[in-house]
Every structure is written in structure tokens, then in C-alpha cells.
Amino acid sequence: MNTVSRTLIATAAGMALLGVSACSGNESGESTGNPAPPPQAKAITSFDPCTFFAPEELTSLGLSTQSEDGGVVEQEPGCQWQGEEKILTLLKNADQTVESYETSGNWDSYTKKSIAGRSGAVAVETGATGQGGCTVLVNAGGGVAVYGVDGLMRDSVDACGEAEKVANQTASRLPE
């Protein structure tokens, strides 16, 4: 790189920094001298639901240790494990919390309760009452972990009981 190029790059970088510092004032337009702290990454974003359960946990629940993609929508990635009677799903969502899910979802029932000492809820989606499926939501790492149990036959399992049991046994390991 020649001297002219280095000088132009250094000048451009300096101008960019000057422009950024000029924009960091308070509401009255005065510079506070303290740059805004960078936004903190949510711990839930680096959490991998697909590696969360130990193989022994899965087999004790009557589930395969082989996970499959369980995310239906992009903002809720995760995995599912199938057994003879049920499917267990664990998803994450960095944009929602237990509180925001209550108002943003369509629920036949939504009961807030403590799950392993965390804010949580046991919920049944609209139209799913009596169909063998249940969701347990737990606040974790600035977002929410979503446990789901679906019975392969309508009466094969107590889906809410199973989902709540799994969440209570494992939610303490979720990101803070």
C-alpha cells in the first residue's frame, strides 16, 4: 500500500470517528463524554437446545437420543426427540419472554407459574385442548426456552404433566 492510500484511509477513519463522537450527545445536544455501552448479547442466543439433554435423560423419558430439527419458525430454533408414546421438543426464542408470549400467542390456557425457580408458564395452544399437546415456557438468558410434549396418541401421555416435569428437572441448567 502506498503512502497516499494510507493517508486517505487514515483521514477517512479519523473523519468517521469524529462523526460518531459528534453524534453521542445527550437529549439537549450536549456531549456526555461517555459513549453508550454496547448492547449485551443475550445468553439464550448461544444456547443450543439440541445438545441440552444428556442421553440418559432422554432414554429415562422413553425417548430416542437422536435429535431431529424441531423448529417450525426461524425465530424458534430447536430440536425434538421421539419415543413410542410422545415427542419432546425444546426450542429457544431470543425475542420473547414468558410475559410477552402470554399476549402474543393464541392460547386455550396460559397459567403462569414458577418452573425450577424461574418465571414460567404452562400453556395449551388454541384448539389443542384435549389433543395431547402442551407447552411449558421458561424465561432463560434474556429470552425464553420452550418445552413441548406431544402425545403420539391423544391419550398416550399427560402432555402438560410430562412437559412440566421435564422443565422442572432441567430448567435450572438453562442460561441465566
Side-chain angles (χ1 to χ4, degrees):
M1 190 180 288
N2 64 33
T3 309
V4 174
S5 295
R6 280 189 212 131
T7 304
L8 287 174
I9 291 171
T11 303
M15 295 298 283
L17 288 173
L18 183 60
V20 168
S21 66
C23 294
S24 63
N26 61 19
E27 289 180 15
S28 65
E30 299 171 3
S31 176
T32 61
N34 297 326
Q40 290 188 327
K42 295 180 179 183
I44 195 76
T45 58
S46 61
F47 168 66
D48 183 1
C50 300
T51 60
F52 180 69
F53 295 108
E56 307 80 54
E57 288 175 309
L58 295 166
T59 56
S60 73
L61 294 167
L63 300 167
S64 169
T65 58
Q66 191 66 33
S67 66
E68 300 173 19
D69 182 20
V72 177
V73 292
E74 185 177 328
Q75 62 269 24
E76 286 185 350
C79 282
Q80 66 181 21
W81 298 265
Q82 187 165 340
E84 290 185 28
E85 296 181 341
K86 64 185 172 248
I87 296 172
L88 171 66
T89 305
L90 181 59
L91 310 171
K92 68 178 182 179
N93 188 318
D95 299 324
Q96 296 275 352
T97 63
V98 168
E99 294 72 24
S100 65
Y101 261 103
E102 182 176 22
T103 57
S104 67
N106 293 311
W107 309 104
D108 276 353
S109 65
Y110 196 93
T111 306
K112 288 185 180 178
K113 56 174 38 182
S114 177
I115 304 289
R118 297 175 183 235
S119 178
V122 177
V124 176
E125 293 181 24
T126 300
T129 299
Q131 301 301 313
C134 190
T135 302
V136 172
L137 303 109
V138 181
N139 279 342
V144 66
V146 182
Y147 293 81
V149 170
D150 290 296
L152 296 177
M153 304 275 295
R154 186 182 308 187
D155 297 327
S156 63
V157 296
D158 169 11
C160 286
E162 287 286 315
E164 193 171 349
K165 177 180 92 173
V166 172
N168 271 309
Q169 290 174 349
T170 61
S172 63
R173 299 191 328 247
L174 292 168
E176 287 295 328

